[in-house]
Amino acid sequence: MAEKPEDLNLPASIVSKIIKDCLPPNCKVAKEASAAITKAASVFVLYTTSSANSVAQKNNRKTITGPDVITAMSDMEFDKFVRPLENSLALWKKNQQEKKESAAKRKAEAEAKKEAALAGEASKSDEVVEVDAEKEKEDGTEEES
């Protein structure tokens, strides 16, 4: 847990970047307004986390899940955010699955490449053995004559 209340605030630089990204380029935000928005965002995150934790505890779980957050939004009467949040969560899950599949594919390709390299080295060593055997034959026959 945080030692002091200020530790629970979101980073002002991140919130400022979000504010700037949401507004037209000619719009300016006073430091006071930026600080107020930062505090409001921090309170919102804490409130949402607490509400989602309550949902998880009601379901006898210690881990907060995405559906817990969605349920918490409804419980907090932020129904306008439920559908966009569900869409974002579905998109996030899809991206995570794609990353997982991509990583598995890269791993399989790397293993196949490694096996091919090992097979190539094995065939080269077989060739070396054959060449050495032929050389020994030649050396043996030359000494006998």
Side-chain angles (χ1 to χ4, degrees):
M1 192 72 184
E3 293 180 20
K4 46 189 174 177
E6 296 83 36
D7 292 344
L8 297 174
N9 289 338
L10 295 172
S13 60
I14 302 296
V15 177
S16 293
K17 184 175 181 345
I18 293 169
I19 292 169
K20 287 179 185 175
D21 289 347
C22 294
L23 297 174
N26 61 348
C27 187
K28 298 192 185 235
V29 179
K31 287 183 182 180
E32 179 183 322
S34 184
I37 293 170
T38 299
K39 185 64 178 173
S42 298
V43 169
F44 179 75
V45 169
L46 292 170
Y47 181 46
T48 304
T49 303
S50 177
S51 295
N53 188 47
S54 294
V55 173
Q57 286 179 344
K58 285 178 188 172
N59 292 314
N60 297 319
R61 287 183 285 106
K62 292 182 179 180
T63 303
I64 298 171
T65 63
D68 294 335
V69 176
I70 292 170
T71 302
M73 290 299 230
S74 291
D75 292 349
M76 298 180 326
E77 298 181 7
F78 284 106
D79 295 320
K80 285 174 128 177
F81 295 113
V82 170
R83 181 67 64 207
L85 185 57
E86 288 172 335
N87 293 339
S88 293
L89 187 59
L91 184 62
W92 181 83
K93 285 180 179 180
K94 181 182 174 190
N95 287 338
Q96 292 300 309
Q97 186 62 34
E98 288 172 358
K99 284 182 183 179
K100 192 175 184 180
E101 290 169 359
S102 176
K105 184 179 177 183
R106 282 194 309 272
K107 184 177 179 182
E109 288 172 354
E111 287 180 13
K113 189 175 180 181
K114 186 177 178 182
E115 288 177 13
L118 290 175
E121 288 178 15
S123 66
K124 284 182 184 177
S125 65
D126 289 346
E127 290 173 11
V128 170
V129 170
E130 289 175 15
V131 169
D132 287 345
E134 289 175 17
K135 191 174 183 181
E136 287 177 5
K137 256 187 185 177
E138 290 173 3
D139 290 344
T141 55
E142 288 177 10
E143 289 176 9
E144 291 175 9
S145 43

